[in-house]
Amino acid sequence: MKTALKLAYRNLVGAGLRTWLNVIVLSFSFVVIIWLKGILVGWDYQAKSDMTNWEIGGGQYWHEQYDPFDPFTLAESHALIPEQFSEEIAQGDMVPVLMVQGTLYPQGRMQTVTIKGIDADQDIFLLPTNKLDTVVDAVPAIIGAAMAESLHLTEGDLVTLRWRDAWGTFDAMDIVITDIFSSNVPSVEAAQIYIPLELLREMTMMQDEATILTFRDPELSRPAVQGWIHKPKNVLTASVDRMIKTKTAGQSVFYAILLLLAMLAIFDTQVLSIFRRQKEIGTYIALGYTRREVVGLFTVEGAMHSILAAVVGALYGIPFLAWQAKVGWTIPMDAGDFGMAMAQTLYPVYSAGLVVSTILIVVIITTIVSYWPSRRIAKMNPTEALRGRIQ
Amino acid sequence: MDKNEIIQIKELKKIFPMGKSEFTALNDINLSLGKGEFTGLIGPSGSGKTTLLNIVGSLDTPTSGEAWVLDQSIGKLTAKEAAQLRKKNLGFIFQSYNLLAVHNVFENVEFPLLLLKIGAAERRKMVMDALEWLGLTDKVRSKPPQLSGGECQRVAIARAMVKRPSLVLADEPTANLDAANSHHILQTMVKLNEELKTTFLFATHDEKVIGYLKRKIYLFDGKVAKDEWVTSNQTAK
Ligand SMILES: Nc1ncnc2c1ncn2[C@@H]1O[C@H](COP(=O)(O)OP(=O)(O)O)[C@@H](O)[C@H]1O
Ligand SMILES: [Mg+2]
């Protein structure tokens, strides 16, 4: 094996330009695959941490009537906070949010919104709720940048808000925008306004009630609570998993094409080698190789393309990938239009497992592709190979 | 088999299938070669020289009859055993040199020693010795495409000789060489034959080669037509 490696290396490097063309094509596949996979891992990580920070914390309890996809359920989805959570809430490790349907009237227009009541001093979410503590003449409210832009609202603007209380009676009041935040999570920005929890409870006559309870610690075991549905973190991030899965499938097609091209080049080289190097094959046999050993030599030679490609790929790939991890990859479209937690700039994350498995898979595929045409050598007649007469 | 014999061929036949019919390339060959001989198979093109050399070299097998080489019956060897015989005991020299083009002179000559798994230091010494015999010490790093035909054939001889095989098989070794180079390599081979006691078996129809042979076996239409020893007072040119 050592001899075969040595000879294969000499033959491969000796073959010059053709070898390096194959190696460069293959090394490009390595770098692109690792980069793209790294982007997905980074995206997955970023999307989940954005969701954790802005939307779901360490997991939630939902009122049993609450359905985020049906705003009409909001009228029914509120209840007293169960007794057993009072301590956790008092310690700040659980944040109750009350949600009510409402309508905003900015400059004569109309926008249906979800009004979310939240404690000003919570620190589970990155929402700037401390800005709800400001003393103003109207109800202090914070909104996301996306909505602020679409409604042309800026800090300090007064807007009329209309809502229904627990008895279904309409009421209206002015709110003042005390802060505009931007997150990467569209669902915390789109058509949402945040106002102080106690105020919303008063406005709606829903004392001590909430719609969603978000806790900080995802590790604690969570009991079942009558009237509330426990939503663990992994359930709440399932949409991200689904999205990443879809993207992975899409990428896989791309990898397959990339690898197919590289493998085609190597396959072609192998087939050509076996015809052009008949005399050489005969010579190996005359010098004491068996035909099977020559098959082995040619297979190792072909497979070695992938080893060289890993080395060459590392030469330019490591600096490139490291630079990408540092500056990130800025998506050439508006991330807000994506409808999912997505930053404008994604930072690829590479794991040792990703690099090793990519290299391993490529080496295995290259070996198979190299072995396939080389099998013919086992059927060659050595005397005819020496004459170079095999068609 | 006689202690001093290296090759013994008995009633050997080689028949090639040719579509529906067959072609008898060797017919009823009976021969024996002793150790240290410097012998040639002589005959016109198509007379079966290469075919016989290939069988002796365990690259091919007899259709019937037997060929014993170094106490091994060629027709009965497995692929592995045949490879072992070639690796350890046989050296090949070809008309078109068959050097490995991307390997340099040193690496070409080193090749058979790599197959024998000889250690690096010993390998190096053996290669340098062989290159010295052939006067190639200044071409160590050259690659075959940079060498003349004569130099290439000398590298091929060094490669055949480096492991000190018992038997060297040379198929038309001078066919691509001019007269001066032909004489040069033949004189070298005579010297190696005398100093290392290596047995040489040629296949040739080149008068220059024939002039150096100590025994001439004439083949005609796949049969031995004449087998004669050169008396010692006959000298090569
Ligand atoms: N594999 C083969 N199939 C069919 N015929 C062959 C084969 N090898 C050699 N022959 C025939 O056998 C005869 C002897 O060939 P060869 O031993 O190469 O002759 P020489 O080396 O004396 O020129 C030739 O007529 C050649 O065409
Ligand atoms: Mg011939």
Side-chain angles (χ1 to χ4, degrees):
Chain A
M1 191 65 188
K2 205 178 131 203
T3 314
L5 284 176
K6 196 169 192 162
L7 291 175
Y9 179 76
R10 279 182 194 166
N11 286 342
L12 205 57
V13 173
L17 190 62
R18 196 179 175 89
T19 297
W20 295 116
L21 280 178
N22 289 343
V23 163
I24 285 164
V25 172
L26 198 51
S27 76
F28 184 67
S29 316
F30 271 127
V31 174
V32 168
I33 289 173
I34 291 171
W35 178 66
L36 282 175
K37 285 220 166 207
I39 294 265
L40 276 193
V41 174
W43 186 359
D44 180 55
Y45 175 81
Q46 168 263 320
K48 283 178 181 165
S49 81
D50 279 348
M51 279 182 83
T52 303
N53 290 334
W54 291 93
E55 196 178 13
I56 61 167
Q60 297 177 321
Y61 281 97
W62 287 6
H63 183 271
E64 61 185 358
Q65 298 292 326
Y66 174 64
D67 177 355
F69 300 108
D70 182 1
F72 295 106
T73 60
L74 280 181
E76 308 301 325
S77 48
H78 53 91
L80 288 174
I81 297 171
E83 193 73 41
Q84 62 201 100
F85 295 135
S86 4
E87 196 179 337
E88 213 174 346
I89 292 171
Q91 283 168 355
D93 290 330
M94 185 178 271
V95 175
V97 171
L98 178 63
M99 292 160 73
V100 176
Q101 273 275 83
T103 313
L104 269 186
Y105 295 89
Q107 285 131 34
R109 295 197 293 146
M110 191 175 128
Q111 162 82 46
T112 306
V113 292
T114 302
I115 311 165
K116 288 183 167 177
I118 186 166
D119 260 336
D121 51 7
Q122 67 78 29
D123 65 351
I124 289 181
F125 300 119
L126 291 178
L127 293 166
T129 47
N130 57 326
K131 292 290 172 56
L132 298 177
D133 225 1
T134 24
V135 186
V136 282
D137 295 337
V139 177
I142 57 174
I143 59 172
M147 194 172 74
E149 196 180 340
S150 68
L151 299 182
H152 306 291
L153 290 173
T154 53
E155 240 180 89
D157 282 358
L158 269 176
V159 195
T160 305
L161 174 66
R162 205 162 78 117
W163 71 95
R164 279 173 185 232
D165 67 17
W167 316 111
T169 318
F170 281 104
D171 204 345
M173 204 173 184
D174 274 350
I175 60 163
V176 61
I177 309 296
T178 55
D179 198 55
I180 293 169
F181 61 87
S182 49
S183 69
N184 295 318
V185 187
S187 52
V188 304
E189 292 194 33
Q192 323 254 327
I193 73 164
Y194 297 80
I195 65 172
L197 177 61
E198 285 311 321
L199 213 56
L200 183 60
R201 283 170 169 170
E202 273 170 37
M203 285 154 59
T204 54
M205 292 182 282
M206 297 178 188
Q207 281 311 318
D208 298 323
E209 295 195 18
T211 305
I212 285 180
L213 307 165
T214 303
F215 46 84
R216 190 192 303 278
D217 190 348
E219 306 298 334
L220 283 180
S221 75
R222 294 288 166 181
V225 180
Q226 176 71 40
W228 296 79
I229 299 164
H230 175 215
K231 295 278 181 180
K233 196 170 172 171
N234 60 338
V235 170
L236 293 170
T237 55
S239 61
V240 175
D241 293 331
R242 269 198 305 279
M243 182 256 321
I244 295 291
K245 219 168 163 178
T246 316
K247 291 281 147 194
T248 305
Q251 277 194 3
S252 299
V253 174
F254 184 65
Y255 305 152
I257 292 170
L258 212 61
L259 283 178
L260 194 73
L261 286 177
M263 290 305 126
L264 226 56
I266 287 171
F267 187 83
D268 182 55
T269 302
Q270 290 293 102
V271 171
L272 225 82
S273 278
I274 287 153
F275 287 100
R276 280 208 303 222
R277 294 165 66 189
Q278 281 181 44
K279 265 175 96 171
E280 185 184 333
I281 291 167
T283 308
Y284 289 130
I285 294 168
L287 291 174
Y289 262 137
T290 60
R291 285 181 288 189
R292 284 181 51 181
E293 284 171 323
V294 181
V295 173
L297 176 66
F298 274 63
T299 306
V300 170
E301 216 178 291
M304 203 174 264
H305 280 110
S306 58
I307 309 287
L308 290 184
V311 173
V312 169
L315 286 183
Y316 65 84
I318 289 173
F320 169 75
L321 295 172
W323 171 74
Q324 274 291 298
K326 211 169 120 202
V327 306
W329 176 63
T330 302
I331 306 154
M333 65 172 213
D334 193 348
D337 297 345
F338 196 75
M340 287 217 71
M342 183 170 185
Q344 190 67 49
T345 300
L346 297 176
Y347 295 87
V349 174
Y350 325 106
S351 62
L354 165 64
V355 174
V356 170
S357 63
T358 306
I359 292 178
L360 215 64
I361 288 168
V362 174
V363 169
I364 290 169
I365 295 175
T366 314
T367 307
I368 294 168
V369 166
S370 305
Y371 170 70
W372 203 251
S374 308
R375 287 174 315 150
R376 285 186 71 109
I377 296 171
K379 298 195 193 94
M380 278 188 185
N381 180 335
T383 62
E384 296 194 353
L386 272 171
R387 288 181 216 224
R389 278 214 315 214
I390 299 160
Q391 295 311 303
Chain B
M1 206 163 163
D2 188 320
K3 269 261 167 340
N4 204 36
E5 268 181 357
I6 194 160
I7 300 171
Q8 194 171 55
I9 295 166
K10 279 198 178 135
E11 290 162 24
L12 182 142
K13 253 193 194 185
K14 181 69 187 180
I15 298 169
F16 291 112
M18 294 272 283
K20 276 176 250 150
S21 64
E22 356 184 86
F23 179 82
T24 306
L26 293 172
N27 200 357
D28 196 28
I29 304 281
N30 288 284
L31 272 179
S32 95
L33 246 75
K35 285 184 181 152
E37 281 192 25
F38 201 78
T39 298
L41 302 169
I42 303 163
S45 180
S47 57
K49 307 181 294 292
T50 298
T51 305
L52 185 52
L53 219 57
N54 283 340
I55 292 173
V56 170
S58 77
L59 293 172
D60 209 346
T61 50
T63 308
S64 68
E66 281 200 280
W68 292 79
V69 176
L70 289 154
D71 292 328
Q72 305 197 56
S73 177
I74 297 299
K76 293 184 183 129
L77 298 179
T78 62
K80 231 179 179 157
E81 289 164 341
Q84 204 66 16
L85 174 69
R86 295 191 297 270
K87 194 191 301 194
K88 287 201 174 129
N89 303 304
L90 305 186
F92 286 86
I93 296 167
F94 304 95
Q95 171 178 340
S96 51
Y97 329 126
N98 291 23
L99 298 177
L100 304 173
V102 301
H103 298 212
N104 65 30
V105 167
F106 185 94
E107 290 162 349
N108 264 285
V109 177
E110 183 190 28
F111 193 100
L113 304 180
L114 284 176
L115 295 197
L116 289 170
K117 308 217 178 332
I118 290 171
E122 167 120 39
R123 221 158 59 212
R124 190 171 170 78
K125 192 185 169 308
M126 291 171 82
V127 172
M128 291 317 286
D129 282 351
L131 290 176
E132 198 155 327
W133 299 332
L134 276 303
L136 286 164
T137 42
D138 56 335
K139 300 282 182 204
V140 174
R141 300 277 155 231
S142 309
K143 295 208 168 154
Q146 304 161 332
L147 300 176
S148 71
E151 286 166 337
C152 281
Q153 198 57 302
R154 273 148 61 202
V155 176
I157 296 169
R159 180 176 68 183
M161 295 302 300
V162 69
K163 63 190 175 192
R164 319 259 179 127
S166 321
L167 175 61
V168 171
L169 303 169
D171 196 353
E172 316 266 11
T174 56
N176 289 345
L177 301 181
D178 59 21
N181 273 309
S182 297
H183 285 296
H184 183 188
I185 69 143
L186 282 160
Q187 282 155 5
T188 313
M189 287 195 270
V190 169
K191 204 176 89 190
L192 291 167
N193 168 250
E194 284 166 359
E195 288 176 8
L196 303 174
K197 303 283 173 259
T198 311
T199 310
F200 280 83
L201 180 59
F202 291 85
T204 189
H205 58 264
D206 179 357
E207 286 303 329
K208 297 187 287 298
V209 179
I210 297 169
Y212 285 89
L213 297 175
K214 293 179 187 142
R215 180 183 174 190
K216 303 172 188 173
I217 300 167
Y218 288 89
L219 287 187
F220 194 78
D221 273 354
K223 286 191 170 157
V224 176
K226 195 159 70 165
D227 181 353
E228 61 177 27
W229 286 86
V230 178
T231 45
S232 51
N233 57 7
Q234 267 183 282
T235 46
K237 289 157 250 182

